[in-house]
Amino acid sequence: QVQLIESGGGLVQAGGSLRLSCAASGRTSSRYAMGWFRQVLGKERDFVAAISWSGTRTYYTDSVKGRFTIVRDNAKNTVDLQMNSLKPEDTAVYYCAAREPYYAESYHTSIPEYAYWGQGTQVTVSS
């Protein structure tokens, strides 16, 4: 089992930046591919970004490409999501997720692929 705790959410004006962090605890000796998802109240949870266990492969949903960057520090068991040029439509609860990967370079983009989830952190972007 691994526990995930997100932090770094908050209120920011459009065009601003936030950095979300996800800290993993528990069975962190295992390898985990990680992802970020977001959910607006009343809507489905959507994929945002993913990173392989090795950190060498990343993938983003089209709407955040060029604005968001996912990075990880395996020594610290953290995965961060740097969000720049934020837009009001980025407003959502952001969730960190983890799963044991198929191999070191694999990443995953769908909800059912992930076994572990954090509680979420609210990001609000004002216009």
Side-chain angles (χ1 to χ4, degrees), residues 68-118:
F68 291 11
T69 303
I70 186 170
V71 295
R72 68 186 301 157
D73 185 334
N74 287 342
K76 297 181 179 179
N77 296 316
T78 59
V79 174
D80 290 357
L81 185 68
Q82 177 66 44
M83 306 186 296
N84 298 328
S85 302
L86 282 162
K87 305 175 181 180
E89 50 264 43
D90 294 317
T91 295
V93 177
Y94 283 71
Y95 296 91
C96 174
R99 66 153 290 149
E100 294 184 6
Y102 296 132
Y103 52 96
E105 306 305 318
S106 67
Y107 59 84
H108 307 275
T109 62
S110 65
I111 292 173
E113 294 183 282
Y114 286 91
Y116 307 105
W117 292 86

Side-chain angles (χ1 to χ4, degrees), residues 1 8 23 54 63 84 111 115:
Q1 284 277 16
S54 67
S63 63
N84 298 328
I111 292 173

Side-chain angles (χ1 to χ4, degrees), residues 49-67:
I51 189 166
S52 62
W53 177 85
S54 67
T56 59
R57 295 189 71 191
T58 59
Y59 190 79
Y60 302 89
T61 192
D62 286 345
S63 63
V64 308
K65 285 180 181 177
R67 300 189 298 123

